């Protein structure tokens, strides 16, 4: 499974990129707004910090506007993936941008049918929002499972499932079990994947016993 960082914070991205675990980055208008900087500068900087795809979202809601904004965003760097919403115009814009050779991430997906349309439009990625469905008392992961089954039914559908709105390590594990191709994860959650209290406890015990020997490893 690939890991994308769901952040527009350049220092967090640089830190994660240095680990070699990071395969890409996703941003959205809220994350860009939090930086307080112009979108072009933020996306350009992120694209220089990481080789993998960097999602940058359009804010137009009509077909022509989305295509025009998508072209401008994609021109920032070769690794930009244009994010368009799961709307009728968004699917049309996805198709056009893909025909022009742009990478497209169809976002704000909350149903398997939206994912089916995105794949038919040739989307590079579909982003089902797991956490926001869970927030409503629904089962966000079930949408990932359904999309996996549907995409696996048709060889011609090559869109990657990008599990989004990931809030916990449990979400990451369940998305991997469900066969999501990618998870986009807030940096704090990504770091928490490494944590287990029994690992910390076991390490403390080993080191305490080791210290008593007075030995050092060469
Ligand atoms: C995906 O690309 C979105 O940026 C993100 O996962 C949304 O997550 P949220 O629901 O925690 O805002």
């Amino acid at each position: 499974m690939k890991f994308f960082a769901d952040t527009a914070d350049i220092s967090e991205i640089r830190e994660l990129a240095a680990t070699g675990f990071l395969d890409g980055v996703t941003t959205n208008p809220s994350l860009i707004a939090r930086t307080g900087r112009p979108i072009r500068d933020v996306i350009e900087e992120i694209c220089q910090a990481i080789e993998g795809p960097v999602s940058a979202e359009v804010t137009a809601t009509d077909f022509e506007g989305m295509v025009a904004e998508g072209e401008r965003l994609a021109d920032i760097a070769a690794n930009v993936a244009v994010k368009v919403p799961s709307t009728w115009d968004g699917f049309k814009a996805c198709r056009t941008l893909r025909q022009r050779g742009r990478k497209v991430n169809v976002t704000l997906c909350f149903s398997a049918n939206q994912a089916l349309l995105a794949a038919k439009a040739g989307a590079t990625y579909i982003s089902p929002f797991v956490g926001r469905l869970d927030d409503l008392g629904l089962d966000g992961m079930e949408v990932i499972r359904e999309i996996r089954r549907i995409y696996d039914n048709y060889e011609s559908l090559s869109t990657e499932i990008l599990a989004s709105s990931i809030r916990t390590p449990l979400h990451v594990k369940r998305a991997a079990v469900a066969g999501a191709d990618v998870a986009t994860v807030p940096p704090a959650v990504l770091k928490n994947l490494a944590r287990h209290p029994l690992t910390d406890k076991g390490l403390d015990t080993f080191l305490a016993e080791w210290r008593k020997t007075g030995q050092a490893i060469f």
Side-chain angles (χ1 to χ4, degrees):
M1 177 189 242
K2 286 179 267 190
F3 286 150
F4 290 179
D6 199 24
T7 180
D9 182 321
I10 189 66
S11 55
E12 287 181 329
I13 291 165
R14 288 203 177 110
E15 187 194 336
L16 288 172
T19 66
F21 295 139
L22 196 60
D23 302 296
V25 169
T26 53
T27 69
N28 61 41
S30 304
L31 293 172
I32 297 286
R34 244 171 260 165
T35 68
R37 301 174 57 212
I39 184 168
R40 169 183 282 281
D41 297 356
V42 176
I43 297 298
E44 198 167 29
E45 203 168 34
I46 298 173
C47 287
Q48 282 165 5
I50 181 149
E51 278 179 25
V54 175
S55 291
E57 189 159 343
V58 301
T59 53
T61 54
D62 62 302
F63 167 75
E64 287 84 6
M66 282 191 239
V67 171
E69 286 186 2
E71 288 287 354
R72 287 198 283 274
L73 290 170
D75 278 343
I76 295 175
N79 51 338
V80 166
V82 178
K83 249 182 170 182
V84 299
S86 295
T87 59
W88 195 250
D89 277 29
F91 297 128
K92 283 167 56 189
C94 170
R95 186 174 166 73
T96 298
L97 288 163
R98 289 296 290 144
Q99 282 168 343
R100 297 182 188 177
R102 306 305 200 173
K103 287 185 272 297
V104 179
N105 175 357
V106 175
T107 188
L108 288 167
C109 168
F110 294 95
S111 78
N113 279 334
Q114 288 176 320
L116 183 53
L117 278 171
K120 285 188 70 70
T124 318
Y125 303 103
I126 181 70
S127 290
F129 275 37
V130 174
R132 293 192 193 188
L133 284 165
D134 286 3
D135 289 345
L136 296 182
L138 301 168
D139 183 359
M141 211 51 74
E142 180 56 18
V143 176
I144 303 266
R145 287 190 285 269
E146 287 175 348
I147 298 169
R148 182 74 282 157
R149 284 200 292 275
I150 290 169
Y151 284 7
D152 287 349
N153 281 346
Y154 303 97
E155 251 179 48
S156 58
L157 303 182
S158 57
T159 300
E160 291 191 45
I161 303 172
L162 201 179
S164 303
S165 190
I166 293 288
R167 309 267 174 78
T168 64
L170 188 58
H171 275 153
V172 177
K173 181 182 80 175
R174 289 189 171 155
V177 170
D181 301 286
V182 194
T184 188
V185 188
V189 176
L190 200 50
K191 286 184 188 167
N192 270 343
L193 298 185
R195 294 185 60 189
H196 198 290
L198 290 179
T199 303
D200 297 340
K201 189 168 174 246
L203 192 57
D204 286 348
T205 307
F206 286 157
L207 295 182
E209 299 290 348
W210 180 251
R211 270 192 298 274
K212 286 184 205 158
T213 70
Q215 289 192 61
I217 296 180
F218 315 111

